[in-house]
Amino acid sequence: LPRRGLELGNRRPAILRAGNDGFAWGGMFLEGNPGTVPANRLRHAENVRLRGGSIHSRGGLTRVNSTALHSSSAKILDLQDFQARTRKMYPLFTGCPGLSTTVGFSASWYDTDQSPTWQRGLYYNSASSNVVANVFDGQLYIGIDDTLKVLKLIKSPYGSEALAFAGSEQAEHLHKFTGFTIRALEQFDGKLFIGLDAGAGASKIAVYDGLTIHDGTQGTTADLTGIDPPSRFCRIRDKLAVGFSTNPSGIRLRDVGDAPGTWGALIVGALATAHMASYKDNLYLTADSTSVWKYDFATLATVNTIAGSTIRGLTTFNDGAAQYLFYGYQSTLSQAIIGRYDGSSFVDVHYNITAAYASARLPRTLLSYRGSLAALTSTAASGGRLYISKGNDTDGTVAYTETAQPSGGTSGALDAVIF
Amino acid sequence: MWLARTTVPGGTFGAVGKFWWWLPTAATASDFTEIPVPSNINVVDLKETSAHYDGSLYINGGWTDNMVLTPDLAFWAQGIRPPTGIPDVAVGVGTLTASVICYYSWIDLETNERSPLSAASATLALTADGVQWSNLPTNPQNPRVTHIELWRSVDGSLPRLVMQRQIGVTSILESVEVGSLGEAFTEDFEKFPRCRYNVVWRDRQVMAGDDEHPDTIYLSLVGFPERKALSLRTKSGQSIVGLKIVRDTLMVGCERAWEVVTGYTEDDLAIEIVQPQIGLASQHSLRLIHGMMWVPNEIGFYVTDGAGWFFVGDDVQSKWGDEYKLNRDNYERSWAIHDPFDNVYMLYVGTHSDTGTLNAFWTGAYDKVVPLQGGQMGQPDWTYDTSTRVYHCGEVLYIPGSRRGDLYLGSNNGTIYKANNYDPDVTGSADDFSDTNAKRLRIRTGANFFQDYGGDYAHGKRFTEIDIFAKTELSGLTLNLYAGDEDAYPARSATKTFTMAASRAVSSDNYAFQPKWTWPFAPLVGVTGRALVVELTGASPQLVEIAGFQPYWKEGPAPRRESDEAVDPG
């Protein structure tokens, strides 16, 4: 029996209005029985967030990839942020993409971690002869006509382009080689070797040791003088090889040591060197002609000839299983083709870029870039373009990606370096 | 750029794994680029641990060897074993007069990583001679090797570098003078054993989780993270479950203890037990949040700054213990996320009995996890995040070059999902992109007595009305009321249920002017008892905010009623 009669009428106001007025909701309290849960706590809270005293439904998920990665049953076991200082590719042009196809020279940089991916950075619209670039002492050196410069990279905010952000000059002037055009740069033996063109028999190689330019002026001695225009350097067997732009010429080799150095005699060959690469302890060369050349420290001779072709780009690339030598050429059918050499046999049609992208022409430069093989090519009437393999899928089972130059430009591609 | 690792079951054995890089613009599988995996490396169907050093990413646990990813996206097994042959050298033509011993090593000139020296050759006595190297090996086991190095010890000195040559050369005749030799080979090191866990600490890579020697910690040379130089064993003798750096302190998580490594060189490196009773459930459950490491273990959750240890599982300890016991393997493979946008630590444990068959995160809002007077630590607000979908990882990924990130989750269907999406106009914000659980919202209070605990059977409550204070313009909710005693829930189904339709749907009022906040429900026929449990549930909730509730009651019978048809006693 009740001890007293029922009380009638509402007991107002009621006791609890948790959440506001400083009585903030708290999270789950799972200890004891439900009667022990404090008034502003929850016994169960699922898919909510506690903010400002209230209980909010949590945010949802949206899908990133509309088609399954790897497989529709693939476990995505790990996600990672990897924003190390990744190296960029620096394509060089005649003119400047989007501004001029013929006036001056420019340097751009391609970096998948920036937006836009391919950016114009340097434009020298009064330059008349050449632009080259290479790495020395942790910096990118630019040779523009007769002037040696050091790039001072100005990273533009994500979504803006360097040229628009910082202007056409982002390099520090280092030295002017009056009367010469800089044709090649290479780091060797802790120094920067500079190939200087003043015509056949009047060209030379200067050296920058980080302090002094050894070029035969101001009391210094150039490293090598009285030569044909140097066109390319390459390191091999602890030596520096230089090729020349005259034909016939050949190569010369230099050992380590301070400038002026000791250069070996000309190893004669009927080629004007375009590109060089060392592979399996031998030196390989292309000459904008029909052959790949090889120097094995005994003989400089052709080792592969593709009739009617123009072979130029040359690089080594490790696909995770083995190191290969890749060469790029334009065939008699005006197709851009990449060949591959494994040290024993040449496969002349490893990937036909033009079969996938009709406008692709001469692969001027091949590069190993972030686990992919990259080709900077000329094209039919649309200027230089970039073709990059899908990872190590260099034979194009998955087509290379094509990237047009910045700002819809049609400038001519010259060369590219990785830094 | 961002990285992802995927696995599928192998055709016959193990798993097939792939490694990818991708960008925020990725929208289909074709936007992901595969990073080549060396031909002699297989994936392991476990989560991996990684550490950054000098631009490269050192990755352990997810592959059959310890791996390194270089800034150029070359992906290699860490460390290079020395050449297995003995240098084939003989007296040749040259100009040296000395006793020499010769060695080989391999080197990857892209990363400047070299192997230890090979075995030594026999001593050559040279008298105005050179050294003829023959049968140079051309097939290093690690495909990253680019060059072979020749070393020579002259008259008992340290071996010094003679030259580096590209792989492929088979014979060399040299007589490099002593003064022209290169660097000396001064350090003893070897390749690390395969380990599950790694960190970089004081310019050394530290590894643990060697399945052959689970109680051993390995340390690299300073500045050469791939070269193992030292090892320590846990003082407790227990297996190592995880490693973490907390405020420059190297913390070693064991099964039932925590130990700390101190020192800098082989002369003073030491390991000591700092917590003999607190263990670690899983390496991947560790997260650093504002300098404090969150540590789940069999007892519950701790946070530590490396010195003080604070238990932050007060409110959930019993449940946690029961669940760990019930799903031990899940808990020992659990992994965590720090979501800095929602201020939560989230621990994924898979199936959880409190959420039915759904997969669950223990989600701890850490706003209150701050030091309290008396040396205690504030307790987090715990909730669950649930899904039907299985997840395997979560990470905050930052737009390249930006300081702003978003949380991403990796699932078991080859799909990555982006989280923290409160925008109702974005597909998936309501239902986790078609997860069948539809991001179900469920909150349930305890048994509320409203400070009147009743007495005999007649001195309970007859609840007559209830106001719900909630804003739910876009989503419908269901209100369930359970009346009774302390165990009003889950002793029976809801005493009374009401539907709360999305208020935008039932009102022509513009949301911007008049969101509906008060939801009165009456009469509550048959809702009697000493206490009341209020539950709100809803599928696909969007922008729901619940402030609270306010019941009205008269004195009534203490026992709960049997059905809604019970007569209102007036």
Side-chain angles (χ1 to χ4, degrees), chain A residues 31-38 43, chain B residues 446-449 453 485-488 531 533:
Chain A
E31 299 299 303
N33 66 62
T36 65
V37 177
R43 189 62 169 181
Chain B
N448 292 286
F449 291 90
Y453 301 96
D485 57 15
E486 282 83 345
D487 288 319
V533 171

Side-chain angles (χ1 to χ4, degrees), chain B residues 8-69:
Chain B
V8 297
T12 307
F13 304 110
V16 175
K18 290 181 183 286
F19 197 28
W20 312 82
W21 69 266
W22 57 295
L23 294 168
T25 51
T28 71
S30 63
D31 296 327
F32 291 70
T33 301
E34 195 174 341
I35 298 170
V37 177
S39 53
N40 55 347
I41 300 296
N42 289 335
V43 77
V44 176
D45 205 13
L46 293 172
K47 288 182 67 61
E48 62 190 22
T49 306
S50 61
H52 290 266
Y53 184 73
D54 199 21
S56 292
L57 187 66
Y58 296 86
I59 300 170
N60 281 39
W63 305 90
T64 50
D65 206 338
N66 309 315
M67 304 300 291
V68 57
L69 181 69

Side-chain angles (χ1 to χ4, degrees), chain A residues 59-72:
Chain A
L61 306 177
T62 194
R63 187 176 63 186
V64 171
N65 49 312
S66 59
T67 53
L69 184 62
H70 192 170
S71 155
S72 59

Side-chain angles (χ1 to χ4, degrees), chain B residues 189-227:
Chain B
F189 63 90
E190 58 189 36
K191 183 174 156 62
F192 277 94
R194 189 241 172 211
C195 290
R196 292 171 181 239
Y197 321 121
N198 70 333
V199 293
V200 169
W201 177 63
R202 294 178 180 171
D203 287 300
R204 297 178 191 269
Q205 185 176 200
V206 182
M207 292 191 197
D210 171 7
D211 289 349
E212 294 279 5
H213 303 284
D215 62 347
T216 305
I217 301 161
Y218 305 101
L219 298 96
S220 75
L221 292 170
V222 171
F224 294 98
E226 299 185 45
R227 304 178 188 181

Side-chain angles (χ1 to χ4, degrees), chain B residues 144-283:
Chain B
R144 73 187 285 188
V145 170
T146 61
H147 288 68
I148 187 169
E149 296 182 312
L150 312 184
W151 300 80
R152 191 177 347 113
S153 166
V154 179
D155 292 333
S157 65
L158 285 169
R160 285 187 173 275
L161 184 63
V162 180
M163 65 176 69
Q164 296 171 335
R165 294 284 290 271
Q166 269 183 322
I167 294 298
V169 63
T170 55
S171 65
I172 292 169
L173 173 63
E174 56 84 11
S175 57
V176 178
E177 298 290 343
V178 172
S180 297
L181 293 175
E183 63 183 295
F185 204 103
T186 57
E187 300 274 14
D188 284 333
F189 63 90
E190 58 189 36
K191 183 174 156 62
F192 277 94
R194 189 241 172 211
C195 290
R196 292 171 181 239
Y197 321 121
N198 70 333
V199 293
V200 169
W201 177 63
R202 294 178 180 171
D203 287 300
R204 297 178 191 269
Q205 185 176 200
V206 182
M207 292 191 197
D210 171 7
D211 289 349
E212 294 279 5
H213 303 284
D215 62 347
T216 305
I217 301 161
Y218 305 101
L219 298 96
S220 75
L221 292 170
V222 171
F224 294 98
E226 299 185 45
R227 304 178 188 181
K228 179 177 85 70
L230 302 166
S231 63
L232 298 165
R233 296 178 68 185
T234 56
K235 280 284 172 62
S236 64
Q238 295 176 25
S239 297
I240 297 164
V241 183
L243 297 172
K244 205 76 173 175
I245 309 296
V246 184
R247 302 186 190 203
D248 195 40
T249 300
L250 174 55
M251 310 287 295
V252 181
C254 302
E255 294 158 315
R256 296 172 301 282
W258 275 87
E259 308 192 13
V260 164
V261 179
T262 57
Y264 289 86
T265 71
E266 56 267 46
D267 296 328
D268 64 352
L269 278 166
I271 184 167
E272 293 298 337
I273 298 171
V274 293
Q275 274 293 352
Q277 279 116 22
I278 297 172
L280 172 62
S282 157
Q283 157 79 27

